[in-house]
C-alpha cells in the first residue's frame, strides 16, 4: 500500500491525515506524542473518529519504516526545514515532498536543497484544532499543486487525483509560483493588521483601517508587478489587488486570521514568510515598503514579548 508521511500534526496536517487514511497508509510525525484516536468534525458538524498512526521523529527512527510515496510538510513556514531535517536521514533522496506552507519562504529554500521533486500546495481549506485529539474542518476550499520549475506535472497530477479521491478539491497547475505569491499578497494585507490590532478580518472594512489597508496594498501591488505576478482576475489595473483584498476580507469577515491565532497563543508568527519575501523583493527592485516594514517591526516587537 502507498504510504504518505505528514510532517506536522497541525490543523491542515490532521485534516489531510483523516482524509487520506481510508485510502493509503498514513504516518503523521510531530514533535510530541499525540493520542492515536483522533476525531474530525466535518463542515456539516458530523464527528468522525479514526485511529491514526502518530509518531515522533525519534519513534519513527526506531521503526525502520517503508519509504513513503510522498512526504507532506504541513508545519508553519519557519519550521518546515527543521521538520524535514528531523526525518531526512530516513528518506531516499528521490522522495517527493509536498510543501503546504503559507508565504514564499520555505518553498524556494527547500526546492533549492532537496534533491528529489518538490511540489508546493496552496489551499483554502479551512480547519482548526480543538485539542490533542480533535480537528474541525470548518470550510471546504480548492487546493492547487505544482512545482516551481514546472518539471513534475505528472507527479502533481498523480497527487491531485489521490487528494480528489480523499475529498479534497485538488488541481495540478503550471503556475504555482504565481498562486503562492497571490495568496501571500492577500495574507500580507490582512494578517499583520488584524494580528496587531486583535480584530477579526471583517474589522478591516471599518473606516479606521481603510487607509492602512490601502497603504499596504499599494506597496504590495508595486512589488508584485516588479515580480511579474498578476492579480488572479488577470487584470493589471492598480486597484485589482485592492478589490481582491476587500473581497477576501468580506468573505472571511468572521475569521480569526492565522496570524492573530498565533499572536493570541504567543507563538512566533509567519511574518518572515509573508512580509519577508515582499520586503526583500522591494529592496531588490528599489521600491518603497515603509508600511510593510513598519508592520514587520511591530510584529517583531510583539513576538519579542512572548
Ligand atoms: O489565509 C488567511 C489566514 O488567516 O491566514 C486569510 C485569507 C487572511 C483568512 O483568514
Amino acid at each position: 500500500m502507498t504510504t504518505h508521511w505528514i510532517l506536522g500534526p497541525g490543523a491542515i496536517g490532521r485534516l489531510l491525515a483523516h482524509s487520506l487514511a481510508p485510502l493509503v497508509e498514513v504516518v503523521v510525525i510531530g514533535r510530541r506524542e499525540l493520542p492515536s484516536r483522533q476525531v474530525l468534525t466535518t463542515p456539516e458538524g458530523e464527528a468522525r473518529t479514526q485511529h491514526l498512526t502518530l509518531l515522533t521523529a525519534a519513534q519513527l527512527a526506531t521503526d525502520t519504516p517503508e519509504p513513503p510515496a510522498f512526504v507532506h510538510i504541513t508545519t508553519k513556514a519557519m519550521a518546515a526545514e527543521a521538520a524535514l531535517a528531523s526525518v531526512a536521514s530516513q528518506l531516499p533522496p528521490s522522495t517527493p515532498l509536498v510543501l503546504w506552507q503559507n508565504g514564499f519562504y520555505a518553498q524556494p529554500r527547500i526546492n533549492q536543497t532537496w534533491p528529489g521533486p518538490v511540489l508546493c500546495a496552496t489551499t483554502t481549506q479551512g480547519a482548526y484544532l480543538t485539542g490533542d485529539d480533535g480537528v474541525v474542518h470548518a470550510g471546504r476550499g480548492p487546493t492547487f499543486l505544482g512545482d516551481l520549475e514546472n518539471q513534475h506535472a505528472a507527479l502533481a497530477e498523480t497527487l491531485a487525483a489521490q487528494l480528489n479521491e480523499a475529498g479534497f478539491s485538488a488541481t495540478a497547475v503550471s503556475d504555482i509560483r504565481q498562486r503562492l505569491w497571490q495568496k501571500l499578497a492577500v495574507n500580507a494585507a490582512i494578517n499583520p493588521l488584524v494580528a496587531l490590532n486583535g480584530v477579526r478580518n471583517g474589522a478591516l472594512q471599518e473606516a479606521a483601517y481603510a487607509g492602512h489597508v490601502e497603504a499596504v496594498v499599494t506597496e504590495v501591488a508595486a512589488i508584485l508587478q516588479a515580480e511579474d505576478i498578476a492579480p488572479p482576475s488577470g487584470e493589471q489595473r492598480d486597484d485589482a489587488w485592492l478589490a481582491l483584498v476587500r473581497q477576501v476580507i468580506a468573505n472571511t469577515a468572521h475569521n480569526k486570521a492565522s496570524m492573530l491565532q498565533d499572536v493570541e497563543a504567543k507563538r512566533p508568527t509567519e511574518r518572515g514568510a509573508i512580509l519577508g519575501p515582499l520586503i526583500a523583493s522591494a529592496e531588490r527592485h528599489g521600491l518603497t515598503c515603509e508600511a510593510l516594514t513598519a508592520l514587520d517591526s511591530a510584529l517583531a516587537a510583539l513576538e519579542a514579548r512572548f
Side-chain angles (χ1 to χ4, degrees):
M1 200 183 192
T2 311
T3 307
H4 288 228
W5 290 6
I6 298 171
L7 278 179
I12 290 295
R14 279 194 241 171
L15 172 63
L16 200 54
H18 275 285
S19 310
L20 285 167
L23 306 169
V24 297
E25 199 171 313
V26 172
V27 180
V28 184
I29 302 144
R31 280 181 306 189
R32 60 190 181 89
E33 287 187 37
L34 291 170
S36 74
R37 184 182 174 280
Q38 291 283 327
V39 183
L40 167 78
T41 305
T42 67
E44 293 72 35
E46 190 192 324
R48 290 188 193 152
T49 302
Q50 285 191 96
H51 284 268
L52 300 174
T53 306
L54 292 123
L55 301 174
T56 62
Q59 287 169 333
L60 186 81
T62 59
D63 232 35
T64 45
E66 289 280 299
F70 289 99
V71 175
H72 302 267
I73 307 185
T74 54
T75 61
K76 292 272 178 188
M78 311 312 275
E81 286 167 286
L84 175 59
S86 73
V87 300
S89 64
Q90 291 169 79
L91 292 172
S94 57
T95 308
L97 305 180
V98 192
L99 309 182
W100 290 80
Q101 282 64 42
N102 274 333
F104 199 71
Y105 174 83
Q107 297 89 340
R109 293 169 69 97
I110 294 179
N111 189 52
Q112 247 177 29
T113 51
W114 185 250
V118 178
L119 299 180
C120 302
T122 170
T123 186
T124 45
Q125 291 271 40
Y128 59 89
L129 296 178
T130 51
D132 278 0
D133 63 352
V135 60
V136 174
H137 188 186
R140 295 194 172 86
T143 298
F144 298 98
L145 295 166
D147 68 286
L148 295 178
E149 273 109 32
N150 249 325
Q151 288 173 346
H152 304 289
L155 189 70
E157 292 283 358
T158 304
L159 181 62
Q162 285 190 16
L163 289 174
N164 275 311
E165 222 186 310
F168 274 57
S169 163
T171 311
V173 293
S174 58
D175 60 351
I176 196 71
R177 181 175 178 275
Q178 291 265 336
R179 289 172 189 270
L180 290 167
W181 276 94
Q182 285 164 348
K183 185 159 188 237
L184 178 155
V186 172
N187 284 150
I190 300 176
N191 287 7
L193 280 175
V194 292
L196 287 166
N197 291 290
V199 293
R200 291 192 185 244
N201 296 354
L204 298 186
Q205 291 165 323
E206 292 164 17
Y209 295 105
H212 231 116
V213 173
E214 277 188 43
V216 175
V217 173
T218 302
E219 289 183 4
V220 169
I223 295 167
L224 293 189
Q225 195 171 5
E227 287 288 335
D228 221 8
I229 309 290
S233 62
E235 295 175 49
Q236 273 300 359
R237 290 181 301 117
D238 272 6
D239 56 3
W241 284 109
L242 192 55
L244 171 68
V245 167
R246 286 189 176 141
Q247 185 64 55
V248 175
I249 291 172
N251 291 351
T252 63
H254 301 293
N255 276 24
K256 257 190 193 180
S258 52
M259 201 174 272
L260 174 58
Q261 293 181 40
D262 289 337
V263 166
E264 286 183 348
K266 299 199 180 331
R267 285 190 298 254
T269 70
E270 293 193 301
R271 69 184 176 87
I274 293 171
L275 296 172
L278 287 167
I279 294 170
S281 169
E283 284 165 0
R284 264 197 320 276
H285 295 287
L287 297 166
T288 56
C289 59
E290 281 149 33
L292 292 169
T293 314
L295 290 172
D296 194 44
S297 304
L299 284 167
L302 189 63
E303 284 175 33
R305 296 207 295 270
F306 292 164

